[in-house]
Amino acid sequence: MGQRYSKLKHGDKKQNRLAIVIPYLPPADGAPTFPSYFDLFAMSAAGSVDSIDYLIFHCFIPPSLLPNTESLPPNVKLINLSQKTTSYDEGNDNAPTECDMAKLFLRVTDQREKQNLLQTPIKKLTTMISHQIINMPYILVEYKPAFGHIFADYLKDYSHWGYSDLDVVLGDMTRWISNEEWNDYDIVTYGFGDQDKLYLRGQFTFH
């Protein structure tokens, strides 16, 4: 992108700070990298640097194909959940990897696990979910309303959490998120002439 952004000082967050959670896996039959429009997404995200962070969780993207983090806005944070399956040199991009995303997504079953109500062993469930999200990454969107629980360990420093997609150009969202939406509502979502429908928009919703 060729742009530089001033880094936020640690502890400079305002009273309201929103984390937008975006998990991403490259398509099984495509290139192991972010979409070609990722730079445009990152540039638009810079408009909200004072109030919003974008936490992008990813797997299976070799370091050599990741964006240059020095050129990204400081509020676009790439979080790699890939794990090497065996001991390989750190610089070996071709080392086989596993994705810890499946373990995080199975947090939706943690209460049933604590109560010994799971009929399928958690290890088998992890394997099943991992296979599904690797081969059909689009199913990640089905979990969006549960992201606050699934990614809770990453959201402790935020007043709000939400979700969106990499193909949405958002810009400075603080210009159209009102004080009432920040402070008076449990969930804020936006419609397209269908506000009478009772469902959340995956393109942008925050809690």
Side-chain angles (χ1 to χ4, degrees):
M1 287 169 23
Q3 290 180 270
R4 289 290 186 269
Y5 301 89
S6 59
K7 298 294 184 181
L8 291 177
K9 295 180 180 178
H10 182 68
D12 274 359
K13 67 177 184 179
K14 295 182 179 180
Q15 180 179 358
N16 290 318
R17 189 157 191 89
L18 166 63
I20 295 293
V21 176
I22 303 178
Y24 178 80
L25 292 174
D29 58 351
T33 186
F34 285 116
S36 58
Y37 45 80
F38 181 82
D39 282 356
L40 179 59
F41 165 85
M43 290 174 63
S44 76
S48 301
V49 69
D50 289 337
S51 298
I52 300 172
D53 286 339
Y54 295 84
L55 311 185
I56 303 174
F57 298 86
H58 63 89
C59 284
F60 308 130
I61 301 178
S64 60
L65 295 180
L66 286 171
N68 179 3
T69 55
E70 289 299 316
S71 65
L72 290 177
N75 63 328
V76 175
K77 304 177 185 298
L78 305 183
I79 302 169
N80 186 5
L81 296 179
S82 297
Q83 297 290 334
K84 293 286 192 297
T85 55
T86 54
S87 58
Y88 282 82
D89 294 336
E90 286 296 322
N92 185 359
D93 284 1
N94 296 318
T97 58
E98 294 179 346
C99 183
D100 279 348
M101 204 173 291
K103 295 177 183 178
L104 284 176
F105 274 74
L106 276 174
R107 293 192 65 180
V108 298
T109 68
D110 56 7
Q111 291 301 317
R112 294 183 65 82
E113 185 180 7
K114 289 177 182 178
Q115 298 170 23
N116 294 316
L117 296 176
L118 285 180
Q119 298 183 5
T120 304
I122 194 69
K123 186 174 181 180
K124 184 176 180 180
L125 276 176
T126 302
T127 301
M128 292 168 60
I129 293 296
S130 180
H131 178 78
Q132 283 191 315
I133 65 176
I134 289 171
N135 290 283
M136 297 179 291
Y138 188 76
I139 68 170
L140 295 175
V141 304
E142 304 294 340
Y143 290 83
K144 283 184 173 182
F147 281 1
H149 180 66
I150 292 170
F151 296 99
D153 292 342
Y154 298 88
L155 303 175
K156 296 175 181 177
D157 294 332
Y158 297 93
S159 60
H160 298 72
W161 65 271
Y163 41 83
S164 186
D165 297 306
L166 294 180
D167 59 356
V168 179
V169 177
L170 295 166
D172 182 4
M173 293 198 295
T174 60
R175 296 179 64 182
W176 43 273
I177 298 177
S178 67
N179 287 332
E180 289 78 13
E181 289 171 338
W182 276 119
N183 300 308
D184 297 342
Y185 295 93
D186 294 321
I187 302 175
V188 177
T189 191
Y190 294 88
F192 301 92
D194 57 356
Q195 287 84 348
D196 58 317
K197 305 295 184 181
L198 187 61
Y199 55 78
L200 305 179
R201 280 287 180 183
Q203 292 92 339
F204 178 70
T205 293
F206 72 92
H207 298 242

